[in-house]
C-alpha cells in the first residue's frame, strides 16, 4: 500500500503531460520530464543532507520534514503534487530507510505516453465499443485521458498487475481531478474494458 501514492504520482504526471500535448502537439515532454526529475532529485538530496546532519525524533518525522521543506527556496518552484511527493519520499527514507529512485519510473511514463500517442485511434475505438447510449465526445478531456492511461498501462503491463487494484488506484486519481459523479461511470467503463478477453490480445502487439 505504501507505493500506491508513488505510482499514482507518476500517473498524474502522465495525465498532465497528455493534457498539455492535447493543446500543444510540439510539447517536448521528454525534456520536461528529464528537467523535472533532475530538479526533484536535487531538492530531495538537499533536504536529506540537512536532515542527516541532525538527529531526528522518529515520532516527529512529518513536522521535521515540513520544516525543512518550507525553509527551502527551491520548493516554491514545484507544483502541489511535487511537494506532496517529496514529503512522502522523505518520509519513506527516514521512517523505513526506503529511498525511491524516481528515474526508475522514467521508462514507465515514456512507454505509456508513447503508446497513447501511437495508438490514440485504437484507444478511442476501444472506448467507443464499451459506451452505451453515450458519445465519447461527451466525456470531458481529463476523464478521457485517465481512461486512456489506464487502458494503456493494462495493455503494456497486464502480466504484472491486478485488474481490480489498478481500477481502484485510478479511482483515486479521478477523485482528485474530476467529479465524484463521474466515478461510477468511469469505473464501469474500465471494468468492462479491462476485464474483456479482447483487450488481452493487444498485449502481444506491444512486444512487436
Amino acid at each position: 500500500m505504501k507505493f500506491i501514492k508513488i505510482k499514482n504520482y507518476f500517473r498524474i504526471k502522465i495525465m498532465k503531460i497528455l493534457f498539455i500535448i492535447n493543446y500543444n502537439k510540439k510539447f517536448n515532454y521528454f525534456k520536461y520530464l528529464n528537467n523535472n526529475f533532475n530538479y526533484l532529485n536535487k531538492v530531495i538530496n538537499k533536504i536529506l543532507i540537512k536532515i542527516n546532519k541532525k538527529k531526528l525524533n522518529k515520532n516527529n518525522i512529518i513536522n521535521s520534514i515540513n520544516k525543512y521543506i518550507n525553509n527551502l527556496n527551491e520548493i516554491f518552484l514545484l507544483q502541489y503534487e511535487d511537494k506532496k511527493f517529496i514529503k512522502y519520499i522523505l518520509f519513506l527514507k527516514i521512517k523505513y530507510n526506503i529511498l525511491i529512485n524516481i528515474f526508475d519510473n522514467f521508462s514507465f511514463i515514456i512507454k505509456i505516453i508513447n503508446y497513447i500517442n501511437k495508438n490514440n485511434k485504437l484507444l478511442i475505438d476501444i472506448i467507443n465499443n464499451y459506451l452505451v447510449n453515450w458519445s465519447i465526445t461527451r466525456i470531458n478531456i481529463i476523464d478521457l485521458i485517465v481512461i486512456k492511461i489506464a487502458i494503456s498501462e493494462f495493455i503494456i503491463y497486464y502480466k504484472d498487475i491486478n485488474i481490480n487494484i489498478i481500477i481502484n488506484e485510478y479511482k483515486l486519481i479521478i477523485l482528485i481531478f474530476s467529479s465524484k459523479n463521474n466515478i461510477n461511470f468511469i469505473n464501469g467503463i474500465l471494468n468492462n474494458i479491462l476485464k474483456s478477453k479482447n483487450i488481452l490480445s493487444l498485449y502481444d502487439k506491444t512486444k512487436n
Side-chain angles (χ1 to χ4, degrees), residues 142-155:
I142 294 296
D143 292 343
L144 187 58
I145 286 173
V146 170
I147 294 170
K148 286 180 183 178
I149 297 171
I151 297 172
S152 301
E153 182 177 346
F154 182 73
I155 290 172

Side-chain angles (χ1 to χ4, degrees), residues 8-164:
N8 272 354
Y9 168 79
F10 292 110
R11 288 171 178 142
I12 290 169
K13 188 69 72 176
I14 294 170
M15 186 192 76
K16 291 202 165 188
I17 289 172
L18 289 173
F19 185 78
I20 296 172
I21 290 174
N22 186 66
Y23 296 100
N24 180 10
K25 305 296 183 187
K26 295 182 179 180
F27 176 64
N28 189 335
Y29 58 87
F30 189 90
K31 181 179 179 181
Y32 161 77
L33 278 174
N34 192 55
N35 290 340
N36 185 241
F37 280 18
N38 275 315
Y39 196 75
L40 288 174
N41 260 343
K42 174 186 174 183
V43 173
I44 290 169
N45 290 332
K46 190 167 184 178
I47 294 173
L48 277 176
I49 290 172
K50 289 178 177 292
I51 287 176
N52 288 335
K53 288 181 178 179
K54 295 189 177 183
K55 292 182 179 179
L56 283 182
N57 179 350
K58 292 269 182 174
N59 296 321
N60 200 24
I61 292 174
I62 297 298
N63 286 339
S64 298
I65 290 173
N66 284 335
K67 174 186 172 184
Y68 284 107
I69 287 179
N70 292 335
N71 290 333
L72 198 67
N73 291 332
E74 288 90 342
I75 207 70
F76 296 110
L77 298 177
L78 295 171
Q79 295 181 336
Y80 175 72
E81 70 270 12
D82 291 330
K83 295 176 186 178
K84 286 185 65 176
F85 175 69
I86 288 174
K87 289 181 182 181
Y88 194 63
I89 292 294
L90 291 169
F91 176 78
L92 290 179
K93 167 62 179 173
I94 298 167
K95 182 77 172 179
Y96 302 102
N97 202 30
I98 300 172
L99 187 60
I100 307 300
N101 183 348
I102 60 176
F103 280 97
D104 289 344
N105 292 275
F106 199 92
S107 63
F108 168 77
I109 296 178
I110 297 299
K111 276 184 182 179
I112 292 180
I113 293 175
N114 285 343
Y115 185 84
I116 292 173
N117 283 339
K118 292 177 183 177
N119 299 280
N120 189 58
K121 185 180 184 303
L122 171 65
L123 293 170
I124 293 294
D125 289 342
I126 291 172
I127 297 167
N128 266 322
N129 287 338
Y130 289 89
L131 292 177
V132 179
N133 298 323
W134 200 264
S135 168
I136 197 168
T137 57
R138 295 177 65 186
I139 303 176
N140 73 57
I141 184 65
I142 294 296
D143 292 343
L144 187 58
I145 286 173
V146 170
I147 294 170
K148 286 180 183 178
I149 297 171
I151 297 172
S152 301
E153 182 177 346
F154 182 73
I155 290 172
I156 297 171
Y157 298 103
Y158 93 90
K159 286 188 176 181
D160 304 315
I161 58 181
N162 177 287
I163 295 176
N164 292 323

